[in-house]
Amino acid sequence: MPHILIVDDEPDLAELLAYNLGRVGFATTLAHTGEEALARVRTTAPDLILLDLMLPDIDGADLYRQLRADPATSHLRILVLSARPDAHSRVSGVEILLKPFKVQEVVARVSTLVQDPSVPPERAVFRAGTYPQVL
């Protein structure tokens, strides 16, 4: 069963994502801070991380760069979630979903990225009303 680490400081949103991902067959673990996320990454070995950029202790963009710089975690697939319209300038070269988003969109993107590991995250594109497509 693919495992998704959800890193978001909004408990209600994290639980909503976990519930909907669980309904389609994903195991999930939640982390509400950057430090908690780092600990969970080392103990759960997720197949994908949903990473909010606005965390209370570590900036999500810094956490992203830290995960990429560590050889033990550099291979992990990361889908960034952000309410900040300037998110693309803070973390480049990564797939970013801007909040508010539809939960179905997150589930569709996660499904595509986990089921086909050959698809780079930045090429898994969701078009409204359809399943994700690879460009």
Side-chain angles (χ1 to χ4, degrees):
M1 174 181 293
H3 182 254
I4 311 302
L5 174 61
I6 302 168
V7 184
D8 199 303
D9 64 335
E10 296 178 43
D12 291 341
L13 176 58
E15 290 289 340
L16 179 67
L17 291 170
Y19 172 78
N20 282 280
L21 288 166
R23 289 185 64 207
V24 296
F26 292 105
T28 59
T29 299
L30 304 180
H32 300 296
T33 67
E35 288 297 328
E36 190 179 356
L38 288 171
R40 299 267 192 260
V41 163
R42 288 174 175 77
T43 59
T44 62
D47 295 291
L48 183 134
I49 300 172
L50 288 176
L51 175 62
D52 183 22
L53 289 184
M54 294 173 55
L55 298 173
D57 59 343
I58 299 174
D59 181 77
D62 291 338
L63 179 58
Y64 174 85
R65 287 188 276 280
Q66 188 176 349
L67 290 168
R68 287 290 173 249
D70 184 344
T73 58
S74 63
H75 68 283
L76 293 173
R77 300 174 73 79
I78 301 173
L79 178 59
V80 172
L81 309 174
S82 180
R84 295 182 56 151
D86 67 337
H88 289 282
S89 66
R90 296 181 65 220
V91 182
S92 61
V94 65
E95 181 69 15
I96 298 176
L97 279 175
L98 291 177
K99 295 177 182 178
F101 47 71
K102 293 185 179 189
V103 173
Q104 298 90 333
E105 181 176 0
V106 176
V107 171
R109 287 191 190 218
V110 167
S111 295
T112 296
L113 293 172
V114 171
Q115 290 173 7
D116 188 352
S118 68
V119 175
E122 63 275 9
R123 292 192 57 215
V125 176
F126 180 86
R127 301 199 190 289
T130 67
Y131 284 97
Q133 300 171 1
V134 178
L135 297 179

